[in-house]
Amino acid sequence: MHSSSPGLGRLRAAVATLAVAALVFAAAGAGAQAVTTDDAFPVQLVTVDTPTRDHKDVLNDLGLDLTEHAGHDYVEVVLHSAADEEALRDSGLTWDVRIPDLMLLEARNNQVNREFSAATVTSPLPSGRDSYRRLEDYNTDLEALVDGNPGLVRPITLSRTSLEGKPIHGIEIAADVDTTEDGRPTFAMFGLHHAREWPSGEHSIEFAFDLVNGYGSDQRITDLLQRTRVIVVPVVNVDGFEKSVNDGLLVDLRELDGGGTASILGTPNNAYKRKNCRVVDGQEPLPGSCDAAKSPGSFGVGVDLNRNYGAFWGGPGASDVFADPTYRGAAHFSEPETQAVRELVASRHVTTLITNHTFSNLVLRPNGVAPDTIGPDGYPVGDAPDEQAMKDLGARMAAQNGYTNQHGWELYDTTGTTEDWSYNVTGGFGYTFEIGPDEFHPPYPEVIDEYLGAGEYAGKGNREAFLIALENAADATTHSVVAGKAPAGATLRLKRTSPTTSWDGSFQDTVDTTMTVADSRGRYTWHINPSTRPLVQARQYRVLSGEPIESAEYSGTTPPLTHTDQEFTVTHAGADALEVKLDWPTPDDMDLYVYRANADGSLTEVGSSTSFVLSKERVLVQAPDPGTYVLRVENFASATPTWTLTAGVYDMVDGTVPALIEAWTMSCEVNGDVREQKALIVDRGQRVKADFSKCRGR
């Protein structure tokens, strides 16, 4: 036995402390007493080194404010307080400070924005805008687009108000827009799920201006608006955004004494707010309570709306601790803002959806968790059934803006996200755009460059990427079509109620859509999503074969805060996997590490498993080379130091999660009376016929 101080397992040393503090905070009512930012600590953006997946998992567990900017060996994190910095230091992770004072940067950005606005009469954006919008500016612009373009733009107010009672406004754009329920496919775009990500709303509304300006003069846009309907909701998190932008735009920069000293005016605490205004789970916030209950970055208050959607809710990458930045909420769809988006999407055939965020220059697609993650059904989650098609579309969009086209989990694991729910439940393709390289809300000229393209992407940018997405929404080969005959004036309804899987069980999701047969001859064509949801379609995965090629079992005793090494030799060349499993009798915490022994006596880590309490440890090493491996048992916090360790070399076999076939229930109604009904099964890219001859009368 080799005793030492804990290795990578100690990286979670700060987790328990932070979790307890967060639980105390939540138990106290979260908003009962204002929590203020550490004024002596400059809010920083740091680059944390995460060379392995285990490092990323440890960082996820710390409860810090992770950004969407990450690579294979790093994640950028916002440190809001000295306590954040101390937790990171205690974890054993290493990092570099990239932006030493975000508030100072905010002030300088505001100065750049003021100078740009003063020197600009009209920007090259479709709206001509030269500065960030506040919430009232969005509402005014949406109203102006409606008032100025009758027949092309109509207002949409989502079905639920925010926690503070604010309406969530959007618009619908289409040729003959008031001829609703006409069977055209829908493209949907959402911005500002996260309050501090101001460019996500700017790009959403600028795309709306682009479509309106181009209709009738740009043949491509005109054709698309004749074939589709476009919904734009630029601000989903209306409460949080209002606080973020109002505080953020108050920050000023004053040069004093000729020495460049920054004087920050206003209250900057909400400038980097991420979540909504949930102060106490299950209770509507009292007036002013969201403003009063400030914490570092305001992430101590609220629910992360982009972890609150139903599909896979409650899984990896979403916290169950109220004060964490990725707090998922008390239940799936616990927040009115996500309920409102859910009800909007479920009432249309949204064949393509984009939810805009910042930052990282990424085009992300489902799924949000790594394909080898064991899902709620006991099988690996695998790739999305439409992986190749969504990857290809992502590549076409990324070619316009220079972004990286990748899965959501390649950034880090996430569950309960907008596009994971919308894709898996409706079948419409869904993407997250992470706009911009390195800031949540950079100087406004950078917002312009990202939208219109700059450098080698000049004339392309997100504008062109969005148009490609809209073309995909219109393309019948990427969704489904039902056509036939029914009485003129009849209402056709497609409805499906099915269980949606979350990490803690399942719940019923309903998609309920209608169209009106407008043709006097009774002919109709309806562009729809497939009847079988991706959530229940067949998916491929790889599993271990039944018996190991070679194996060994060990047992031992390891006192707390020490480790024990065992050697295992792989002799079989060409094996698919080495599986190592660690078990012990109590529901507390041991960790497992697997190393490859090198010729010079050094060790190279090839896998680790450092789950929290209640979980046993397992490491799977793909295609292990023959040689000696060191299996390390570390007693991180186990009261019973006796353990059992098994190692086996296996071939793997391909497996398939059995598929279900689902049907739409299709009805023909006259004056609310259902006169004919049938089951409709239709696949992606398929066109089927459905006539309703009995619907004319009884």
Side-chain angles (χ1 to χ4, degrees):
M1 181 178 76
H2 305 282
S3 297
S4 71
S5 61
L8 193 57
R10 71 182 287 274
L11 297 181
R12 294 197 316 281
V15 175
T17 302
L18 285 175
V20 170
L23 289 171
V24 170
F25 178 81
Q33 182 174 348
V35 181
T36 58
T37 303
D38 181 355
D39 294 330
F41 184 87
V43 181
Q44 299 177 351
L45 184 69
V46 302
T47 302
V48 180
D49 301 313
T50 55
T52 69
R53 183 168 184 82
D54 191 61
H55 287 81
K56 281 187 168 66
D57 290 342
V58 168
L59 180 59
N60 254 329
D61 288 343
L62 291 178
L64 299 177
D65 191 0
L66 277 59
T67 76
E68 284 74 22
H69 195 207
H72 71 280
D73 61 355
Y74 73 92
V75 176
E76 291 193 349
V77 177
V78 179
L79 300 181
H80 294 275
S81 67
D84 286 355
E85 185 181 52
E86 182 179 359
L88 192 56
R89 182 181 296 108
D90 289 347
S91 75
L93 293 168
T94 58
W95 73 94
D96 296 312
V97 177
R98 197 169 67 74
I99 299 177
D101 191 333
L102 279 171
M103 289 297 100
L104 179 59
L105 177 68
E106 183 80 21
R108 289 173 176 162
N109 285 351
N110 285 344
Q111 182 172 321
V112 170
N113 290 339
R114 284 192 298 273
E115 292 171 354
F116 175 75
S117 181
T120 304
V121 177
T122 302
S123 82
L125 286 173
S127 70
R129 185 84 185 182
D130 58 23
S131 61
Y132 281 111
R133 294 168 171 88
R134 297 177 187 261
L135 181 61
E136 57 267 29
D137 297 324
Y138 278 104
N139 293 338
T140 298
D141 280 356
L142 291 173
E143 185 177 354
L145 284 170
V146 171
D147 292 344
N149 299 277
L152 182 64
V153 185
R154 73 185 191 97
I156 291 178
T157 300
L158 271 60
S159 57
R160 299 172 187 263
T161 60
S162 70
L163 281 167
E164 294 189 328
K166 298 184 186 69
I168 304 172
H169 292 302
I171 54 174
E172 185 170 14
I173 310 168
D176 298 320
V177 69
D178 296 318
T179 307
T180 57
E181 301 180 348
D182 57 6
R184 283 181 280 179
T186 296
F187 172 76
M189 179 174 286
F190 300 94
L192 283 161
H193 272 80
H194 291 151
R196 63 193 179 189
E197 299 173 2
W198 306 350
S200 68
E202 295 291 334
H203 279 214
S204 299
I205 199 168
E206 289 300 331
F207 188 57
F209 272 97
D210 231 334
L211 296 178
V212 170
N213 294 347
Y215 184 74
S217 59
D218 182 305
Q219 188 56 50
R220 180 187 186 191
I221 290 176
T222 301
D223 175 65
L224 286 170
L225 291 180
Q226 289 171 344
R227 297 166 55 203
T228 65
R229 309 182 75 89
V230 178
I231 290 176
V232 177
V233 181
V235 186
V236 174
N237 184 0
V238 289
D239 297 339
F241 169 66
E242 182 181 52
K243 290 160 181 53
S244 172
V245 74
N246 287 353
D247 279 2
L249 293 180
L250 278 175
V251 176
D252 199 357
L253 178 68
R254 301 296 171 93
E255 302 294 339
L256 303 177
D257 305 323
T261 302
S263 174
I264 306 301
L265 303 181
T267 304
N269 291 12
N270 274 318
Y272 288 93
K273 181 175 177 61
R274 173 185 175 95
K275 300 189 290 183
N276 74 348
C277 271
R278 177 72 69 185
V279 178
V280 180
D281 275 332
Q283 299 181 21
E284 293 185 7
L286 297 173
S289 60
C290 184
D291 294 282
K294 290 181 178 178
S295 62
S298 285
F299 69 74
V301 168
V303 171
D304 183 344
L305 297 180
N306 206 40
R307 301 294 187 275
N308 190 241
Y309 287 85
F312 301 129
W313 177 89
S319 175
D320 61 355
V321 176
F322 186 89
D324 279 1
T326 59
Y327 177 55
R328 65 200 187 197
H332 48 265
F333 294 115
S334 62
E335 306 311 295
E337 298 91 346
T338 57
Q339 292 174 36
V341 173
R342 174 195 191 186
E343 289 163 7
L344 174 65
V345 172
S347 68
R348 310 293 187 102
H349 286 280
V350 176
T351 56
T352 305
L353 176 149
I354 288 177
T355 174
N356 286 317
H357 289 257
T358 65
F359 57 92
S360 283
N361 281 2
L362 297 173
V363 175
L364 301 176
R365 65 184 184 276
N367 288 318
V369 290
D372 61 350
T373 303
I374 302 302
D377 60 0
Y379 293 100
V381 171
D383 282 330
D386 299 291
E387 158 63 11
Q388 192 58 54
M390 289 198 291
K391 180 180 179 180
D392 291 345
L393 176 58
R396 290 172 55 212
M397 295 188 292
Q400 313 308 314
N401 51 26
Y403 292 5
T404 299
N405 173 39
Q406 65 180 50
H407 297 98
W409 60 264
E410 291 179 276
L411 178 63
Y412 44 69
D413 281 342
T414 57
T415 48
T417 63
T418 315
E419 75 277 14
D420 266 14
W421 169 78
S422 65
Y423 166 70
N424 278 291
V425 170
T426 74
F429 287 5
Y431 296 86
T432 285
F433 273 48
E434 296 287 355
I435 298 168
D438 52 20
E439 291 186 51
F440 293 112
H441 38 263
Y444 202 74
E446 295 183 25
V447 177
I448 298 173
D449 286 346
E450 290 292 332
Y451 184 76
L452 297 174
E456 64 179 300
Y457 301 102
K460 299 178 181 179
N462 281 337
R463 176 188 189 274
E464 180 62 25
F466 293 162
L467 285 170
I468 288 173
L470 178 53
E471 287 172 337
N472 185 78
D475 183 358
T477 65
T478 69
H479 52 265
S480 308
V481 177
V482 56
K485 291 184 178 180
T491 296
L492 301 180
R493 183 181 302 275
L494 282 169
K495 186 174 181 179
R496 182 185 59 226
T497 298
S498 308
T500 292
T501 303
S502 67
W503 233 264
D504 69 341
S506 65
F507 62 96
Q508 295 298 106
D509 245 328
T510 297
V511 177
D512 189 352
T513 62
T514 58
M515 78 161 291
T516 301
V517 181
D519 186 272
S520 60
R521 298 166 296 177
R523 296 176 180 175
Y524 74 90
T525 300
W526 197 357
H527 291 258
I528 63 175
N529 280 315
S531 57
T532 301
R533 298 167 297 156
L535 191 66
V536 299
Q537 291 177 16
R539 63 179 188 270
Q540 301 293 319
Y541 63 89
R542 304 197 75 198
V543 296
L544 301 178
S545 59
E547 295 295 330
I549 301 169
E550 49 192 347
S551 63
E553 182 174 312
Y554 314 87
S555 60
T557 300
T558 302
L561 302 181
T562 65
H563 68 253
T564 302
D565 288 351
Q566 299 286 350
E567 289 189 353
F568 176 78
T569 301
V570 175
T571 62
H572 184 80
D576 288 330
L578 164 62
E579 181 190 49
V580 184
K581 296 196 293 186
L582 174 63
D583 195 10
W584 62 99
T586 50
D588 43 28
D589 202 2
M590 284 194 175
D591 291 335
L592 173 63
Y593 300 88
V594 178
Y595 300 91
R596 178 77 161 84
N598 302 315
D600 62 0
S602 63
L603 300 178
T604 300
E605 184 179 318
V606 294
S608 63
S609 178
T610 57
S611 302
F612 204 51
V613 295
L614 304 180
S615 297
K616 305 304 181 181
E617 309 297 354
R618 174 181 180 263
V619 170
L620 191 67
V621 180
Q622 302 283 348
D625 293 325
T628 299
Y629 290 79
V630 174
L631 318 179
R632 177 167 294 174
V633 177
E634 182 178 285
N635 188 338
F636 182 69
S638 178
T640 304
T642 302
W643 47 262
T644 301
L645 185 69
T646 59
V649 175
Y650 292 83
D651 284 330
M652 300 186 77
V653 295
D654 291 331
T656 303
V657 178
L660 296 179
I661 297 177
E662 295 180 318
W664 290 110
T665 298
M666 190 169 185
S667 306
C668 180
E669 305 172 4
V670 177
N671 297 324
D673 178 25
V674 177
R675 295 189 174 180
E676 190 174 355
Q677 195 171 72
K678 59 184 65 179
L680 180 76
I681 297 174
V682 59
D683 294 331
R684 193 178 305 280
Q686 187 179 15
R687 183 184 179 101
V688 297
K689 183 178 180 181
D691 291 333
F692 290 89
S693 58
K694 299 178 182 178
C695 189
R696 296 183 182 279
R698 295 188 182 278

